[in-house]
Amino acid sequence: MRYDVAVIGGGPSGAVAAAELSKAGVSTILIERNLDNVKPCGGAIPLGLIEEFTIPSYLVEKKLSRMKARSPKGRIIDMRMPNGYVGMVRREKFDQYLRSEAEKAGAAVIEGLVTSIQPSGRGGYVLTTLNNKVPPIEADRIIGADGANSKTADELHFPPNELKVIAMQQRFKYTPAIQKFSDIVEIWFDGEVSPDFYGWIFPKADHLAIGTGTEDHRHNIKALQKRFVEKIGITDTPYLDEAAKIPMKPRKSFTAEKSILVGDAAGLVTPANGEGIFFAMRSGKLGAQAMIEHLKKNTPLRNYETEFRKLYAPIFFGLEVLQAMYYRNDRLRESFVAICADDDVQRITFDSYLYKKMVPAPWSTQMKIFSKNIYHLIKGR
Ligand SMILES: Cc1cc2nc3c(=O)[nH]c(=O)nc-3n(C[C@H](O)[C@H](O)[C@H](O)COP(=O)(O)OP(=O)(O)OC[C@H]3O[C@@H](n4cnc5c(N)ncnc54)[C@H](O)[C@@H]3O)c2cc1C
């Protein structure tokens, strides 16, 4: 089997890339290790993504425009999104849908765990899969979309994925005791729940997804999750426990001469909020577009990385600063939640979140927010 491009990994980044390539007439194979994969994930996606990728409404189980931020001392700030909502999807259905779109566009979608990528001798690559489940595949170019522990990145010698958070989530079927959480997103900024990230309660159609994260190897994620569930007051037994790494720093480089990395494989999850689905799909699309240009006009694949960084580096930087400033201890987290009470802060935060555009605020608003920041930081509340 010989293809122009092999996309390794059939999550959101890989599926979008494969669909985009196939629509342009590029012969593409998408190789996914497990077509029934249930990716551990909160499945929260912004309205901008739903619109751009025309996600069908049956996949969006909840459209939530209210959010509660909870401080270490238990102070609760009710936040509202007047101009949109966060959509809740279930990854087992969402990923399958995206892969089916790639298949419809003409991509070959197969199951197999890629274990090695070797030069082919004809300027391309030969891919082999575990136990030779699939006969060796030849491809001229490679897109690595195989997640935080990317085998593609290792095989093709990309620089390492540096910062990894480990996140755990448990799913609880609704019972009368937890029904009250079914229409609102809750975010807990609390050192007992996470000393360096946050805890979340995301409602889905028939269950609650509750999870927390922490920097890899620094704290016991299971103990943090257990404490979180106890603090919420849930005594039910979860029907699913899931955990995975979140790479929250772009690799130093995620393009090479004949290959690129997209999504988590490239480290494209924003700090502070751990949002990765949007950036996975955007990078899949931008990466595929650069690949199409490259195949047609011999332009460098590096154009993809340049474009991605131009569009999103300010967001990554802003959120990195926010995390470094406020997620260090409970006193700072208390100040952070207090600042969230401000209407302008909420408007700017949500407008930026929904469409991933830094929203400029008038000078007077910036000054007001700056002064409030200083006030709350000094007061510690
Ligand atoms: C607990 C948790 C909660 C999260 N919650 C959210 C959230 O609410 N909102 C949000 O935006 N982001 C969230 N994220 C981040 C988000 O899940 C990821 O950023 C996103 O899934 C990245 O998509 P991807 O396609 O790049 O990688 P993945 O979704 O990881 O897909 C990679 C695919 O590659 C396959 N694969 C791996 N290795 C191979 C191989 N060798 N051969 C073939 N196939 C392979 C895997 O089976 C997988 O299907 C969360 C992450 C975690 C861990």
Side-chain angles (χ1 to χ4, degrees), residues 253-327:
S253 160
F254 43 93
T255 47
E257 203 190 328
K258 296 177 186 172
S259 58
I260 62 172
L261 302 175
V262 293
D264 278 20
L268 305 181
V269 181
T270 38
N273 65 3
E275 187 185 1
I277 302 172
F278 173 85
F279 298 102
M281 293 171 70
R282 284 294 288 147
S283 63
K285 189 167 168 179
L286 290 172
Q289 286 168 349
M291 184 66 83
I292 294 161
E293 283 286 299
H294 166 74
L295 292 172
K296 283 188 184 153
K297 302 181 191 158
N298 205 23
T299 50
L301 285 174
R302 174 152 285 280
N303 291 352
Y304 146 61
E305 185 170 336
T306 308
E307 178 69 4
F308 187 91
R309 289 190 193 273
K310 192 173 89 191
L311 287 170
Y312 302 118
I315 295 180
F316 275 72
F317 176 73
L319 288 170
E320 194 175 344
V321 170
L322 189 144
Q323 180 164 3
M325 252 176 96
Y326 288 111
Y327 287 19

Side-chain angles (χ1 to χ4, degrees), residues 99-223:
R99 284 194 295 266
S100 72
E101 288 295 291
E103 205 160 17
K104 241 194 270 172
V109 177
I110 60 155
E111 190 171 80
L113 175 76
V114 173
T115 48
S116 91
I117 307 173
Q118 297 294 326
S120 70
R122 286 201 273 181
Y125 300 94
V126 179
L127 284 67
T128 46
T129 49
L130 187 67
N131 299 328
N132 281 317
K133 183 168 178 179
V134 184
I137 298 158
E138 262 196 69
D140 294 339
R141 300 290 180 266
I142 304 277
I143 296 187
D146 45 351
N149 302 314
S150 173
K151 180 74 178 165
T152 311
D154 291 347
E155 288 287 285
L156 300 178
H157 310 294
F158 279 90
N161 240 345
E162 279 169 26
L163 178 71
K164 286 186 191 154
V165 158
I166 177 93
M168 179 170 178
Q169 182 173 267
Q170 292 178 305
R171 299 188 190 186
F172 296 85
K173 288 269 180 224
Y174 286 121
T175 57
I178 61 171
Q179 195 67 37
K180 63 180 176 205
F181 295 104
S182 65
D183 278 316
I184 190 160
V185 171
E186 276 201 32
I187 303 291
W188 287 44
F189 298 98
D190 177 343
E192 289 190 351
V193 168
S194 172
D196 43 21
F197 197 57
Y198 64 83
W200 64 88
I201 307 176
F202 288 171
K204 304 293 169 91
D206 67 354
H207 70 272
L208 277 185
I210 296 176
T212 184
T214 183
E215 215 169 294
D216 203 9
H217 300 310
R218 288 189 59 195
H219 305 275
N220 183 333
I221 186 70
K222 282 191 181 166

Side-chain angles (χ1 to χ4, degrees), residues 15 20 24 82 86 91 114 207 259 319 347 368:
E20 194 76 14
V86 48
R91 286 294 298 274
V114 173
H207 70 272
S259 58
L319 288 170
R347 186 178 47 76
K368 189 190 84 178

